[in-house]
Amino acid sequence: VKIAKQLAFNLLEEAKVAKVYYVDDYLSFDGLGSVIKCIDECTIEQLRQQRFEIPSEILNAKEAEVDYIGQIQEWWNGLSSDEEESILNEIHAPQHRSEGCLRKLLDSKCIFCTPEDWENKYFSECLSLIQDNGQKTLLLFDYKLGVDITTEGESRNGLTLALKFSANDGVKENSYCGILSQEFNVDGEFQFRNDNQKLLDSWAFPIAKDRLADNEDYSLFIEGLNNLLWVGDVDKLSNITQRLINATSKRMEDEFKKILPLEFKQI
């Protein structure tokens, strides 16, 4: 962890990033509500395969299609805090791993906030850092933020929140943005970027939550962070190179058109 943390901080320092913001609705989830939703949405077979044990009376009530909410509440209230934590870790495994990894590697530089906190408080704070203090920031938005809508009535996900922020002066020039998701793996990052190229531009880059494993190997996360911080520069170099190739190719074509048949034969 110590080496990975140092590598992450070195990358942020090289990119002159002063503050990191991680926005995820998981940070405000309701434990009991999450359990009820899990039991409600899963089939009986899926629930029987869960690593945590659900009381048979709850499963029987669900199978019989009778009200079982009260039974879930009673069961949940009888669990210890450690048992609750273990169950929630199973239900929210990808989100939990993501938060755990980021807390270990970016702790002192990162602010963890819900979408509501971002919109009501940290949006303006981050914008002030960029516009008033001339500092650079790194923004990490969870792509799937539930079914809620923004204050403007728009569908809300990490990408829409990111685009809303990027519309402000100086943001794209002085910040970096990562869109985190468990809906694609590491190999699917470039496809997601290609599908959303016009929206992501060179400012934002997708990061698969597979990179945020809460274990001792953080190399995939360091690689993803590196991709995110340097994608804008790579895109600029790529565009410059493409223009040079196109210009050179056009000049070569024009020169060949001027060559007389005899000269061409001699060549």
Side-chain angles (χ1 to χ4, degrees):
V1 175
K2 185 177 180 180
I3 295 175
K5 185 174 181 178
Q6 187 60 55
L7 288 172
F9 271 65
N10 287 347
L11 284 172
L12 294 177
E13 184 178 356
E14 187 71 20
K16 296 181 173 57
V17 171
K19 183 68 70 176
V20 182
Y21 294 86
Y22 175 52
V23 184
D24 193 336
D25 59 348
Y26 165 74
L27 298 169
S28 63
F29 77 93
D30 168 31
L32 175 59
S34 296
V35 172
I36 292 175
K37 182 179 180 183
C38 173
I39 295 176
D40 192 48
E41 294 181 350
C42 290
T43 64
I44 294 294
E45 185 61 32
Q46 289 172 330
L47 291 174
R48 294 189 191 280
Q49 294 174 357
Q50 291 282 3
R51 292 186 181 180
F52 59 91
E53 185 176 349
I54 301 172
S56 57
E57 56 267 26
I58 295 178
L59 295 179
N60 292 337
K62 177 178 173 62
E63 198 164 26
E65 298 183 353
V66 298
D67 183 31
Y68 49 83
I69 302 301
Q71 295 179 10
I72 296 177
Q73 292 174 327
E74 184 178 351
W75 164 61
W76 185 253
N77 292 334
L79 298 176
S80 68
S81 57
D82 288 342
E83 289 172 326
E84 290 181 0
E85 179 71 15
S86 177
I87 292 173
L88 291 173
N89 285 349
E90 290 294 328
I91 295 176
H92 296 281
Q95 293 92 333
H96 179 76
R97 287 198 302 267
S98 302
E99 181 193 0
C101 177
L102 293 173
R103 285 194 185 278
K104 286 181 179 180
L105 300 184
L106 303 178
D107 53 5
S108 60
K109 274 188 176 288
C110 189
I111 290 177
F112 295 80
C113 60
T114 66
E116 292 75 23
D117 287 341
W118 166 256
E119 291 196 293
N120 297 328
K121 177 181 178 181
Y122 293 111
F123 184 108
S124 57
E125 176 186 289
C126 183
L127 192 60
S128 178
L129 285 176
I130 293 171
Q131 294 181 337
D132 301 333
N133 300 333
Q135 294 183 333
K136 290 193 175 184
T137 62
L138 169 61
L139 311 170
L140 300 173
F141 290 95
D142 180 57
Y143 179 66
K144 190 176 181 180
L145 295 177
V147 296
D148 292 336
I149 58 175
T150 64
T151 52
E152 288 78 16
E154 301 167 333
S155 175
R156 186 187 73 178
N157 59 43
L159 189 53
T160 58
L161 290 187
L163 293 174
K164 179 180 177 181
F165 187 69
S166 71
N168 292 277
D169 292 339
V171 167
K172 286 190 174 182
E173 295 78 19
N174 296 288
S175 67
Y176 306 87
C177 179
I179 305 297
L180 281 62
S181 179
Q182 66 197 60
E183 297 185 4
F184 50 81
N185 56 24
V186 172
D187 293 334
E189 289 175 342
F190 283 96
Q191 184 59 53
F192 182 88
R193 188 183 187 225
N194 290 337
D195 292 342
N196 296 277
Q197 182 65 54
K198 291 183 179 179
L199 298 177
L200 294 174
D201 199 14
S202 294
W203 173 64
F205 196 81
I207 295 181
K209 285 195 172 181
D210 292 353
R211 294 187 181 276
L212 296 158
D214 191 10
N215 54 38
E216 295 304 312
D217 183 10
Y218 298 99
S219 58
L220 282 177
F221 171 71
I222 298 300
E223 179 186 73
L225 181 61
N226 189 64
N227 290 342
L228 167 59
L229 293 175
W230 298 112
V231 65
D233 294 299
V234 172
D235 281 350
K236 288 177 184 176
L237 288 173
S238 177
N239 291 334
I240 291 172
T241 304
Q242 190 63 50
R243 287 198 300 270
L244 288 173
I245 291 174
N246 291 339
T248 304
S249 175
K250 184 64 169 63
R251 288 199 298 271
M252 290 174 62
E253 182 181 346
D254 291 342
E255 288 300 318
F256 270 107
K257 287 180 180 179
K258 296 177 184 177
I259 296 177
L260 297 174
L262 180 59
E263 292 175 328
F264 188 82
K265 183 177 180 182
Q266 290 172 341
I267 292 175

